Amino acid sequence: MNTLRFRLADDTDLATVVGLRDDAARWMLSRGITGQWRPGELGVDHFRRTRERGDEVWLAESGERAVGAWELWWEDEAAWGPQPATAGYVHRLMVAHGSIPPGTGRELLRAAERRVAERGRPLTRLDCVATNPALKTYYVKAGYRVVGHKEGKPQPGAKPKSFTLLEKRVGGPASQHG
């Protein structure tokens, strides 16, 4: 596989991001992971709104092909409540399952963490649906620690769900706590 390149998605990339998310949703469903993502749940408008409010949609490419994407938000009151500007929030981390080498998702996650650190924020935060213990384990193995739980978080295109809240220090003085 070629080296991964990361770039901000623009309007012309949003249909590709939707396709990656729908494929990831189908992959989950084919493995019995229900209650998380459904194909068709989010469209181009969702990702456009994310960009319009000042958050970021990132695309990972290998060669000429998109192999992953994620959203990076600068606040997430729905899950974390009002917070000081000390974190970036990773959402909808997705990869093209079946056509990428193992570890690609971690590379995307590290790229998101680097971006958060570049913005001068010491913490990367994310949430994962509470009914997917394998996903929680994945993030813990990537260096995240469980710091809370959020019941009934509103979801775009779906009913509210419960989430495990996780964070990882990515920069700043070791004495700072988030």
Side-chain angles (χ1 to χ4, degrees):
M1 179 169 168
N2 294 320
T3 303
L4 289 178
R5 290 181 326 281
F6 305 104
R7 65 178 177 83
L8 285 169
D10 61 32
D11 279 347
T12 65
D13 298 314
L14 299 184
T16 299
V17 174
V18 169
L20 283 165
R21 188 184 184 280
D22 286 349
D23 288 347
R26 283 188 280 278
W27 180 86
M28 285 182 214
L29 292 172
S30 74
R31 280 152 183 78
I33 302 168
T34 60
Q36 191 161 336
W37 292 358
R38 293 185 326 257
E41 193 169 50
L42 298 180
V44 167
D45 287 345
H46 166 81
F47 295 100
R48 185 174 291 120
R49 283 190 305 272
T50 297
R51 293 177 60 241
E52 287 171 353
R53 72 171 181 254
D55 293 322
E56 301 172 351
V57 178
W58 285 85
L59 199 59
E61 297 172 318
S62 177
E64 298 303 312
R65 194 168 70 88
V67 296
W70 70 92
E71 292 178 36
L72 186 56
W73 300 1
W74 301 110
E75 63 180 35
D76 185 1
E77 286 193 24
W80 294 83
Q83 295 285 323
T86 58
Y89 301 84
V90 176
H91 286 279
R92 284 171 262 293
L93 184 73
M94 59 192 100
V95 296
H97 290 281
S99 62
I100 55 167
T104 300
R106 290 268 176 95
E107 287 188 55
L108 272 62
L109 196 52
R110 283 191 294 271
E113 293 162 1
R114 283 191 301 272
R115 175 67 177 139
V116 170
E118 286 169 5
R119 287 280 301 255
R121 296 188 179 201
L123 299 169
T124 299
R125 291 182 173 148
L126 51 82
D127 56 55
C128 67
V129 68
T131 56
N132 188 341
L135 186 57
K136 180 179 95 172
T137 298
Y138 174 84
Y139 288 124
V140 168
K141 286 182 178 179
Y144 286 77
R145 64 185 182 92
V146 174
V147 295
H149 191 77
K150 173 67 178 179
E151 292 291 334
K153 179 184 169 193
Q155 295 299 291
K159 61 185 176 187
K161 299 175 185 168
S162 296
F163 286 84
T164 301
L165 305 177
L166 301 102
E167 71 180 18
K168 179 180 182 180
R169 179 159 299 286
V170 295
S175 62
Q176 252 183 347
H177 295 286

